[in-house]
Amino acid sequence: MGLTKFMPSDKLLLSHLYTSLGSSMIFNKTNLLILFTILITPISYASVSLGKSPAQIFLFLGGDSPSEHEGILLNKNISGAQVIYSWKKLEPKKGVYNFDQIKTDLKFMDSIHKKLWIQIQDKSFAPKVINVPNYLISKEYSGGISKQVDFAGEGKPLGEGWVANMWEPKVRERFQLLLKHLGQQFDGKIAGINLTETAIDLDEKNPPKGFSNDAYFKSVLDNMLALRQSFKQSSVVQYVNFFPGEWNNDHQYMSRLFTFAIKHNIGLGGPDGVPYRKGMMRNSYPFFLQYKNTLPQVSIAIQEPDYTYTNPKTGHKFTVNEIYRFATEYLGAKVLFWNIQQPQYSQQVIPLLEKIHSKKG
């Protein structure tokens, strides 16, 4: 069974779910626990307490330099910035590393007494953007990349992009070497580092050479461990949302990943903060609920598409207050990477942070 990263409509999602619960569904103890958790969890968007320990807020700046956003970073309620660095820019030629931008950004963040969190980007979500080094796109690395599709948000058209062929050992070896070099220079100096989401959506009828769902899953675990071994002081996080070929943990990819993360002291997070989103409730969300007090770190990104989803209780788009409450109370996030899209950031996020911190303690 294939799996699209995001289902464009509830009708399609329900159809997919119905199929998943058919004869192919594996009703083991883990699946039954997840199903029970979903059924007993109250779908409430407004009644959850803001809590006494506010999550750390890092502003998600994409590929921008933090120095371009000094004004908003100086807000006393902001802990720092999350910045994306592509593999291609960090390794412009095979074995030649250029970390100058990270060094510049880190120096600036230190100067304003804020923290830097980095995301290493190998995937892309635009057909003309390739985030892996050019040398990988060769026969030696079995082409290096594969095309994928991407659902950018409710009411948004499907997009296309590229993923690194991490299931290929030679590709994975090069990526892990990058992580090793990054760790040697920045471990303990940056607040944290995360790898991109587990979700990929390839052409099921014509899969890339060497690809299998199992091989891809194993490559994710392998990269997670390499990240942890490279960074022993800074926080490390793997984004997890879906796995190709899995629905409702029917291959135990999701349950095994969470168990692996806890065993090796690896944090987990995701690029999805939409409250009780149906697809996510059948994949990573219930595991965050189950293990939020056991994981060493939970970090959730609140990205621009999250504003496009409708709260079925109100008939309006989700507010930042509803998103914050769900991410911290249900998913257990201690770190939030919040987008700076306007006017939401000025009109909703800043007042929310003031309210949260006024209640601290």
Side-chain angles (χ1 to χ4, degrees):
M1 177 183 63
L3 179 63
T4 301
K5 174 189 170 188
F6 291 124
M7 297 304 172
S9 68
D10 288 345
K11 183 177 181 181
L12 177 59
L13 175 62
L14 291 173
S15 174
H16 196 150
L17 177 58
Y18 178 81
T19 301
S20 301
L21 294 175
S23 59
S24 63
M25 183 63 188
I26 301 174
F27 284 101
N28 54 31
K29 291 181 179 180
T30 303
N31 282 328
L32 289 173
L33 177 60
I34 294 170
L35 183 60
F36 178 72
T37 300
I38 293 171
L39 290 174
I40 66 171
T41 301
I43 308 299
S44 172
Y45 304 102
S47 61
V48 182
S49 169
L50 289 174
K52 294 185 178 181
S53 300
Q56 293 187 65
I57 304 296
F58 284 73
L59 298 185
F60 172 66
L61 303 181
D64 291 355
S65 174
S67 61
E68 300 174 29
H69 301 279
E70 180 175 1
I72 56 176
L73 283 170
L74 290 174
N75 185 307
K76 63 181 180 180
N77 299 322
I78 299 300
S79 296
Q82 183 197 36
V83 180
I84 290 177
Y85 304 92
S86 75
W87 182 2
K88 186 174 186 176
K89 289 185 178 180
L90 295 176
E91 189 185 6
K93 295 182 179 180
K94 185 175 181 179
V96 177
Y97 300 100
N98 184 348
F99 300 156
D100 288 349
Q101 190 58 56
I102 299 179
K103 294 176 182 178
T104 297
D105 293 343
L106 181 59
K107 183 178 180 180
F108 171 76
M109 295 299 285
D110 286 344
S111 74
I112 63 171
H113 308 291
K114 300 290 183 177
K115 303 173 185 177
L116 178 66
W117 188 296
I118 72 177
Q119 175 172 314
I120 306 304
Q121 195 74 21
D122 62 283
K123 299 180 177 70
S124 74
F125 304 98
K128 294 184 179 180
V129 177
I130 297 176
N131 284 322
V132 306
N134 291 333
Y135 75 83
L136 285 175
I137 308 173
S138 63
K139 290 183 179 180
E140 181 181 357
Y141 298 96
S142 301
I145 57 175
S146 297
K147 184 175 290 187
Q148 71 163 350
V149 297
D150 172 60
F151 182 64
E154 191 171 64
K156 304 290 185 180
L158 285 174
E160 293 183 350
W162 301 90
V163 297
N165 294 350
M166 290 296 185
W167 53 90
E168 292 287 345
K170 287 187 176 181
V171 174
R172 196 162 65 250
E173 180 183 5
R174 296 304 310 175
F175 185 68
Q176 292 178 8
L177 191 56
L178 168 69
L179 298 180
K180 181 180 179 180
H181 281 279
L182 285 167
Q184 289 171 349
Q185 293 210 31
F186 300 109
D187 186 24
K189 298 177 181 178
I190 59 172
I193 178 172
N194 71 278
L195 303 182
T196 59
E197 63 198 72
T198 55
I200 60 173
D201 196 342
L202 306 172
D203 185 348
E204 298 174 12
K205 296 181 180 179
N206 186 29
K209 180 182 178 182
F211 174 83
S212 72
N213 295 328
D214 283 348
Y216 176 71
F217 171 71
K218 291 176 182 178
S219 76
V220 171
L221 299 188
D222 198 30
N223 283 342
M224 287 170 60
L225 186 58
L227 182 67
R228 177 76 282 176
Q229 291 172 341
S230 299
F231 286 85
K232 300 183 183 301
Q233 299 179 60
S234 302
S235 293
V236 297
V237 168
Q238 169 70 56
Y239 276 0
V240 54
N241 42 10
F242 299 100
F243 274 105
E246 174 165 272
W247 189 254
N248 205 36
N249 199 44
D250 58 2
H251 288 72
Q252 289 80 56
Y253 294 148
M254 198 66 67
S255 56
R256 282 186 280 165
L257 180 137
F258 273 75
T259 299
F260 184 87
I262 293 169
K263 177 181 178 180
H264 294 284
N265 196 37
I266 300 168
L268 296 177
D272 312 291
V274 181
Y276 298 99
R277 190 171 175 201
K278 293 180 180 179
M280 299 298 296
M281 292 299 289
R282 294 296 181 178
N283 288 281
S284 65
Y285 277 3
F287 287 95
F288 280 111
L289 175 65
Q290 183 178 352
Y291 294 111
K292 63 185 179 183
N293 295 321
T294 308
L295 286 163
Q297 176 68 266
V298 176
S299 304
I300 300 296
I302 310 302
Q303 300 183 2
E304 289 88 344
D306 294 357
Y307 296 138
T308 71
Y309 290 86
T310 301
N311 182 339
K313 294 289 185 179
T314 65
H316 300 290
K317 302 299 182 183
F318 282 108
T319 66
V320 298
N321 191 35
E322 293 164 343
I323 292 171
Y324 177 89
R325 286 170 165 170
F326 179 78
T328 56
E329 296 291 335
Y330 186 96
L331 301 178
K334 300 302 182 184
V335 171
L336 293 177
F337 305 122
W338 211 298
N339 75 85
I340 56 174
Q341 176 175 297
Q342 296 290 7
Q344 290 91 343
Y345 181 74
S346 295
Q347 295 180 0
Q348 296 188 50
V349 179
I350 290 178
L352 172 65
L353 297 182
E354 291 291 341
K355 178 180 179 182
I356 292 169
H357 285 269
S358 69
K359 293 177 177 292
K360 185 175 180 180

